Amino acid sequence: MSTPTSEIMTRVEVLSEATLSDANRINNEFMGTTGKHCCGCCSYAWCPDSDSEFASNYRKRPEQMNLTAVAVGKDDTVIGVLKLSVYGVQRNFFEAGLHTIDPGEAYVEWVAVTKNARGQGAGSLLMQWAETTARERGATTITLGVVSGNPAQKLYERIGYASVKQSARDQMVTNCLICCMFGSPNGMCGGIMMEKTLT
């Protein structure tokens, strides 16, 4: 696992009321500047979440606040966010529709690091936090979905995640859903599921 440079990172902490707005900023950057398009034509940059919309998702499901972490830079700015879900914890409609969480599973809903902080270890530390939190919640596996062509797939492989073999039908449904929801932001259509056994 890469270690963050001391100039960039200082800590990972659980999302709080004080960091909600910064987490939303990163979510909007992640959705709006990486070429993601709803139905392949409407850029998510055209309709960013307001701070109140983003916060309301957490206020409706307060347990999700404890399952979301932020990476904080040396200058106390939030530079990354990871949202985790575990079996039995309520999720919003959109998240629940993308992936069904099984007993003993934790699922990384999304992880994003600001453009200027990428490659500096923030993503690795957020993933480490997710694995620790998943174990504490009794999960024996942790999973995530990756849009095809996403360079972050290399990070996931480096820290022990492997692609999950899906049936042809499941892969086709996954690819169609991802293309409809995100387009082909990395020049490729579809995505893959990855998992890691927690020991």
Side-chain angles (χ1 to χ4, degrees):
M1 204 173 291
S2 66
T3 305
T5 61
S6 59
E7 301 86 51
I8 301 290
M9 274 291 300
T10 59
R11 64 188 182 279
V12 171
E13 60 188 48
V14 172
L15 184 69
S16 67
E17 287 287 335
T19 56
L20 274 169
S21 180
D22 289 330
N24 185 44
R25 173 183 48 81
I26 292 170
N27 178 53
N28 284 330
E29 176 186 314
F30 168 66
M31 293 300 289
T33 64
T34 54
K36 293 177 178 70
H37 289 78
C38 182
C39 299
C41 63
C42 300
S43 172
Y44 283 103
W46 299 345
C47 51
D49 279 348
S50 69
D51 285 350
S52 62
E53 287 173 308
F54 186 80
S56 104
N57 282 319
Y58 285 96
R59 291 184 183 125
K60 287 177 191 171
R61 298 166 198 84
E63 183 60 22
Q64 283 293 331
M65 191 88 82
N66 296 323
L67 291 169
T68 304
V70 294
V72 181
K74 201 168 198 79
D75 60 357
D76 283 333
T77 60
V78 175
I79 59 172
V81 184
L82 182 144
K83 183 174 185 185
L84 183 70
S85 288
V86 293
Y87 180 78
V89 173
Q90 185 183 16
R91 300 157 70 205
N92 70 38
F93 176 79
F94 177 75
E95 293 165 345
L98 280 177
H99 179 74
T100 301
I101 299 175
D102 294 323
E105 178 187 2
Y107 179 71
V108 176
E109 299 283 0
W110 59 277
V111 59
V113 175
T114 59
K115 199 175 213 172
N116 294 339
R118 290 183 192 147
Q120 304 297 313
S124 295
L125 284 179
L126 285 165
M127 294 299 291
Q128 185 178 21
W129 174 89
E131 291 175 21
T132 299
T133 302
R135 280 187 201 94
E136 289 170 355
R137 299 295 185 110
T140 55
T141 61
I142 187 167
T143 59
L144 53 85
V146 184
V147 174
S148 293
N150 185 338
Q153 184 176 342
K154 290 182 177 93
L155 163 65
Y156 306 141
E157 291 168 346
R158 191 172 63 247
I159 61 176
Y161 287 76
S163 298
V164 175
K165 181 85 171 144
Q166 292 183 295
S167 69
R169 181 187 64 82
D170 286 350
Q171 186 64 53
M172 182 179 72
V173 169
T174 297
N175 289 346
C176 286
L177 274 172
I178 289 172
C179 284
C180 285
M181 295 174 75
F182 302 118
S184 53
N186 304 305
M188 303 170 81
C189 188
I192 60 168
M193 287 297 298
M194 300 185 82
E195 75 176 7
K196 180 177 180 177
T197 301
L198 298 173
T199 54

